[in-house]
Structures are given as C-alpha cells and as structure tokens.
Amino acid sequence: MYHCFSGEGNTEIILETLLTYSALENSPIEQEDFPVEFSACSGEDALENDHCGTDDSNDQDYKDTFSEKDKKLLTLVEMGFSVEEAAAAIDRCGLDAQVLELADSIHAAQMAEEPDETGLNPRFMTSDEFGHCSERKRRRVVTEQRKLKRSCLPRRRRDYVRKCPVDVDDAPMAIPKPMIGFGLPFEKCTTRRILPDSAIGPPYFYYENVALAPKGVWDTISRFLYDIEPEFVDSKYFCASARKRAYIHNLPIDNRFPLLPIPPKTIQEALPMTKKWWPKWDKRTQLNCLQTCIASAKLTERIRKALEGCDDLPPPQVQEYVLGECRKWNLVWVGHHKVAPLEPDELEMLLGFPSNHTRGGGISRTERYRSLGNSFQVNTVAFHLSVLKKMFPNGINLLSLFSGIGGAEVALHRLGIPLKTVVSVEKSKINRNIMRSWWEQTNQKGNLIDLDDVQQLSGDKLEKLMKLYGGFDLVVGGSPCNNLTGSNRYTRDGLEGQHSSLFYDYFRILDLVKCIMARNS
DNA sequence: CTGATAATGATTGAATAG
DNA sequence: CTATTCAATCATTATCAG
C-alpha cells in the first residue's frame, strides 16, 4: 500500500495503485474463511517487499499529485468499487460529478445489473457478517428497499452476496446498551476475547473516536484496524458527565483497575456549590457531553427572564424550555433562577486532568474550551490502559498521535506507568505547549519529542526514531471527530471529511510501526 | 491580527404511540 | 408491526471589539 511516487502522476502508476488497492480490497472475497487483512505489510511476504519503513510517501502525498479525475477514481476505489466501475461512472456522469453522485451512479448500475441482489462491499461489513447472520439483521431486510434509495455506498459483489444476503446499510454496528464496554470497575466483566492474529501486538494500540458517528463509519474503522470490535463506553460511568466514545484496541481486558480516587458521578457531588441552587424540577444528576463551545450570555439571560417572577415551581412550558436549554448547553445552577456554563477548570476536573492543566502559558479562554472539549476522559482511558502497568514495570515508549492536551499521557502517568520516550504528534501549537508544560511540571524523566503533522511522519522518520529510542510499546490516538460528530452542522462529511480522514494516517502509521516491530523482533 | 460572542440544524437510535 | 416523538451531540461560521 505504500508506493513511492517520484514524479508527477502518470496513468500507469495510477492504474497500478488502483489495481493494488483493488486487489487488497477484493482479497477477502477469495479467502472467505479468514479475517480480512488490508495491510500490505503484515503478510508473510511483507518483509521481502521492503515496502515498509523505507518509504517516505503516504496516501495523501501522492494523491495530491493526481488529476481531479484520478483523485475521484482513487476515492471511489477506496470506497470499495472496482476500477472499471469507477471509470465507467465518471464517463457516464462527467468529470464534474461529485464522488457521492458517482457512487450513486455505480450503485444504480449495479442495481440494473443484478436487480435482486443487495449488499455492500465487504470493506463496509462487520466481521460479524462474515460468519453468520443474526436474527436482528434479517428483520432489517424488510425496510431496506426504502433505505436503498438514499444509499450511496457501494454494493457487495455478486459472488459474495449469496453467502451473506444482508444489507449493511441499516446499522450493522449496533451499540450495546448499557454502554459499558467490556465492563466497569468493581463489577463483573468479560475477561476474555478472541483477537484476529493480525491484530495482536507488538505494539499495543488504542484508538478512540465518537461513538455516535454516521452510519458505517465504525464498520470502516474496525475493518482497517484488523477487524477488532469497537469497545463502546460512556464516560458517565466514570465521572459526572457523559461521553459516548468507541475504542478499538488490542489490549488485554482482564484485571483492569481504576484510577484513584474514584471521581464523583453526580453533578451535585462534583460541583457542590450548585446543590443549594438546584431546583427540584430539574431532575438531572449527570451532565451531557462536554463540548468545545459554551452557551452565550444572551441565552442564560433569556433563561433568567423566563424564570423571573416564577415561584419554586414554574409553569410546565417554562420548565420544558429551561430544561431543554440546560441539557443542550450543559448549564448548571449557580444562583436563584440563574444558570451558567461550566468553567474551564471544572471541565478539567470532570475530564480527569489536574486543575489548571490548560491554564496559563498564553492560552486564551476560548482555546481552553476548545482543547478540553476535544480531549479524552482520563479515568475512562486509564481504566483501559491499566493492564499495561504489570506488563511494563520499567515504563513504556509511547507513540501518541493527535495527542491534544495529552489525555493518554496523563492517564499513564496517573497509573504510575513511567514514560520513557514519548513521541507526540499534535497539530496545535497551543496543545503542544500544554503538553510540554505538563511534562516539565510533573518532572518527567523520559524524552518528549513533539511533532507537528501526522501526515509528515513517514516510515523513514519512524524507523529512525525507533532505532534511536527502541520500538514503541503503545500507539494511542483519537483522530479528529470534526466530520463525524452530530454537533457539526456544516461539515459532517463522515470519515472521508477533511479532518476525520486523518484516521487513515493513524492506520498507516500504526501499520508501519507493526511492520518495523515485526522485522526487528 | 486575536479573542470573545452569538447564532446556526441534521443525523442518528431509542422510546413511545397507534 | 409502522409512525411519531424524544433526546443527544469531542462544531463551524460570521461578526465585532480591541
């Protein structure tokens, strides 16, 4: 998958790339009984090919050298269509057609060709569906006709359909309820799971993103990350605010332990000063997800006006309005008829960071909210990472992608796992400063190497780092959720969105590390 | 230029009603 | 069973003041 393009894109190289993609995409169809392996590097012959670790280019780089048509071709092939299908669609719709338009066109063509068969490309299927079809899924077939109209996803190939006649368009990746992952602290939990061979470390890895992403996103992410089922966890079981996230990792899941002290899980305990002002008719005991923006002063003023003159029990209409806004904006009671958004230090506390973690050093209040809203919930992540403590008593080397304000680092530190070398990749200068500041404040003895851009982190660079400091024991990262989260009204474009597509760099880098680790073992 | 402020719905799944 | 309602959601953009 990692080709080196020296010059500008010529047709042959593009075609070769497309065919390589195509071959990779289609391979699981031929070997139905095996877990999907999209990594070009982790096969038996990966080391002979010498593609890993010696190549500076990445997907984004060489995509930029392509023409518009080639980019669209490549995108369509990445979506799971064949080169022929993609080319034909571009011919039909013209060069100006959007990718989704083209995908729909292919979809329509496939419908015409095989009118009775439904399904999607295997890349968009859950591993569940490779084995068996659940009773739930059968029920969905009834409603699929209606949904197919909106579908812009590629369809499964003919030879595969018969084995698994299930439409993936309709919520293939069900989120378990309650959203507790493999178990919570002090409770019984699943202690064992089977990981595909290709998923097993070294290195250990830990990937995070929003649970409530658009349909199909987690299927794709899971498919790339070695077919591991996501662990869906809501941080409301770890602190006083909700945070619905999914984590894909290859860590053991038995003998986890939580950080101490255990944080309070109700608003009233976490923010005691709000208790005396909290009205009886506001039944909230926990906060919703902490986000990057807070309510305007105008809004809290409107709420105060709405409550003005009311006694202890406002009219139902007013209650409904106030409660709705309080839930939407995570407002808390700080006075009589007075609500307010959370302060930055309260966010820090709720997310499990030391207070003032993001304070000072030239960071503005607005940026503080942004950085905190984008961060891990430390107690949740630490619970998952706690299994590493016994395994690495002398500390770990960490590769941290999209580090943000260092949620993973703080979690490991609070677990008492020494940080030997941390290579941290983070776009935001502000966040890098916060991380560096924390590194110094906590008297870390290891090395902190901070880099700017994941896209610039080549196999070559990785290899040099690993030669210098030893391999990585853990690769963590939560790639951008901008284009996935429901909060985004403007550019919720899914995994192929401008920022969220950096997930593919997480995979690229993880796979490179895997290759280099395998070769050096 | 930075920083603060305020306004801006849609996509989901779950719950409920019919 | 379908149809409707409810509820949550790691944000973007425009604007203004300094």
Side-chain angles (χ1 to χ4, degrees):
Chain A
M1 196 175 279
Y2 306 105
H3 293 262
C4 188
F5 291 164
S6 42
E8 63 290 331
N10 68 59
T11 315
E12 283 205 6
I13 290 179
I14 291 161
L15 191 59
E16 186 190 322
T17 309
L18 292 175
L19 290 172
T20 306
Y21 269 88
S22 188
L24 288 168
E25 308 288 67
N26 291 339
S27 59
I29 297 167
E30 272 87 53
Q31 6 173 320
E32 295 131 11
D33 295 331
F34 297 98
V36 191
E37 182 53 78
F38 282 103
S39 157
C41 289
S42 2
E44 307 98 32
D45 52 348
L47 300 183
E48 296 167 30
N49 288 345
D50 202 33
H51 277 159
C52 330
T54 57
D55 195 331
D56 276 346
S57 67
N58 59 42
D59 291 6
Q60 201 58 47
D61 283 340
Y62 58 69
K63 262 195 205 171
D64 289 345
T65 68
F66 289 176
S67 69
E68 276 307 309
K69 177 177 178 177
D70 293 330
K71 279 188 198 169
K72 280 174 183 162
L73 257 179
L74 192 47
T75 306
L76 286 166
V77 173
E78 281 185 309
M79 289 170 75
F81 297 111
S82 72
V83 184
E84 297 79 11
E85 286 171 326
I90 293 178
D91 285 343
R92 276 197 303 274
C93 304
L95 278 174
D96 297 330
Q98 297 296 306
V99 172
L100 291 184
E101 231 176 290
L102 294 166
D104 266 333
S105 170
I106 300 174
H107 192 249
Q110 288 173 333
M111 281 286 256
E113 204 177 314
E114 349 172 13
D116 290 328
E117 293 173 344
T118 61
L120 296 170
N121 186 287
R123 180 161 146 189
F124 290 84
M125 296 172 57
T126 62
S127 54
D128 196 30
E129 284 158 341
F130 277 90
H132 60 282
C133 301
S134 73
E135 52 289 349
R136 258 195 85 250
K137 286 163 188 161
R138 223 169 286 123
R139 188 159 46 79
R140 289 195 223 107
V141 177
V142 182
T143 59
E144 84 186 1
Q145 293 290 357
R146 178 174 50 86
K147 306 232 171 181
L148 277 175
K149 280 191 291 187
R150 292 186 297 112
S151 169
C152 59
L153 295 177
R155 296 157 60 82
R156 206 179 297 143
R157 298 175 69 88
R158 176 194 289 271
D159 52 353
Y160 198 78
V161 166
R162 296 201 185 88
K163 299 189 189 318
C164 211
V166 173
D167 185 12
V168 176
D169 196 8
D170 193 3
M173 186 79 70
I175 298 180
K177 257 196 73 177
M179 208 189 283
I180 58 173
F182 294 120
L184 301 175
F186 312 118
E187 286 182 15
K188 281 187 182 173
C189 68
T190 316
T191 55
R192 290 288 166 191
R193 62 169 174 166
I194 309 292
L195 290 176
D197 284 348
S198 58
I200 296 171
Y204 285 111
F205 73 91
Y206 188 81
Y207 175 80
E208 176 264 7
N209 215 320
V210 291
L212 280 54
K215 287 180 183 174
V217 165
W218 276 106
D219 299 272
T220 308
I221 293 175
S222 171
R223 183 144 310 288
F224 271 85
L225 297 181
Y226 315 103
D227 274 325
I228 300 177
E229 290 285 329
E231 179 173 10
F232 290 95
V233 184
D234 190 338
S235 290
K236 73 178 183 181
Y237 300 107
F238 290 84
C239 68
S241 69
R243 208 167 186 80
K244 296 174 179 61
R245 297 292 180 270
Y247 307 86
I248 289 186
H249 60 85
N250 61 350
L251 294 161
I253 57 175
D254 49 335
N255 298 113
R256 290 169 164 179
F257 60 90
L259 283 182
L260 297 177
I262 305 292
K265 295 192 188 50
T266 65
I267 306 171
Q268 291 76 13
E269 287 175 289
L271 305 164
M273 58 291 295
T274 66
K275 200 186 302 183
K276 73 176 282 198
W277 304 112
W278 210 273
K280 300 286 179 235
W281 48 272
D282 184 349
K283 303 294 186 192
R284 289 178 301 155
T285 58
Q286 290 194 300
L287 294 159
N288 279 334
C289 186
L290 309 179
Q291 303 194 138
T292 58
C293 293
I294 60 170
S296 65
K298 297 272 191 199
L299 177 65
T300 54
E301 169 66 4
R302 282 198 291 271
I303 289 173
R304 195 185 61 76
K305 285 282 188 190
L307 292 169
E308 206 169 42
C310 297
D311 53 359
D312 282 351
L313 206 116
Q317 200 129 19
V318 178
Q319 280 186 37
E320 205 176 329
Y321 163 71
V322 173
L323 280 177
E325 296 299 326
C326 284
R327 274 196 279 261
K328 190 185 327 186
W329 291 102
N330 256 337
L331 302 173
V332 294
W333 297 94
V334 295
H336 185 57
H337 290 176
K338 193 167 76 161
V339 291
L342 296 167
E343 289 294 315
D345 63 301
E346 293 170 328
L347 294 192
E348 286 168 344
M349 180 267 296
L350 289 163
L351 290 170
F353 288 91
S355 37
N356 300 324
H357 182 73
T358 59
R359 189 181 186 184
I363 185 172
S364 74
R365 183 182 165 85
T366 313
E367 281 299 335
R368 245 180 122 182
Y369 277 115
R370 174 173 298 271
S371 291
L372 284 162
N374 281 315
S375 174
F376 286 168
Q377 205 289 324
V378 170
N379 302 85
T380 311
V381 171
F383 183 59
H384 298 157
L385 298 181
S386 63
V387 297
L388 292 168
K389 185 164 183 176
K390 261 192 219 163
M391 310 171 65
F392 299 96
N394 297 320
I396 64 169
N397 287 342
L398 173 67
L399 175 57
S400 176
L401 307 177
F402 315 102
S403 308
I405 58 175
E409 289 80 355
V410 173
L412 290 164
H413 177 65
R414 288 191 56 187
L415 283 165
I417 299 173
L419 299 170
K420 295 195 291 191
T421 294
V422 174
V423 175
S424 165
V425 191
E426 170 56 42
K427 252 296 195 202
S428 158
K429 174 76 174 170
I430 285 167
N431 286 345
R432 288 201 303 275
N433 287 344
I434 291 171
M435 171 82 94
R436 175 70 66 184
S437 165
W438 171 82
W439 190 264
E440 289 164 4
Q441 300 290 324
T442 51
N443 284 317
Q444 297 289 331
K445 301 303 177 198
N447 315 298
L448 174 61
I449 295 139
D450 49 2
L451 306 175
D452 178 7
D453 189 358
V454 289
Q455 301 198 72
Q456 302 299 317
L457 183 50
S458 64
D460 212 28
K461 212 172 283 183
L462 266 174
E463 212 167 15
K464 283 176 186 162
L465 286 166
M466 291 169 72
K467 182 150 276 183
L468 243 151
Y469 301 103
F472 292 110
D473 304 301
L474 178 65
V475 180
V476 298
S479 62
C481 70
N482 300 21
N483 309 115
L484 306 180
T485 176
S487 311
N488 190 337
R489 284 124 156 107
Y490 299 94
T491 53
R492 195 183 187 188
D493 304 326
L495 199 57
E496 315 302 323
Q498 188 182 3
H499 301 103
S500 293
S501 58
L502 287 173
F503 157 73
Y504 295 109
D505 280 279
Y506 177 87
F507 166 72
R508 176 182 65 83
I509 291 165
L510 171 60
D511 209 48
L512 280 170
V513 172
K514 229 171 154 55
C515 292
I516 299 171
M517 298 287 285
R519 192 175 44 192
N520 293 347
S521 66

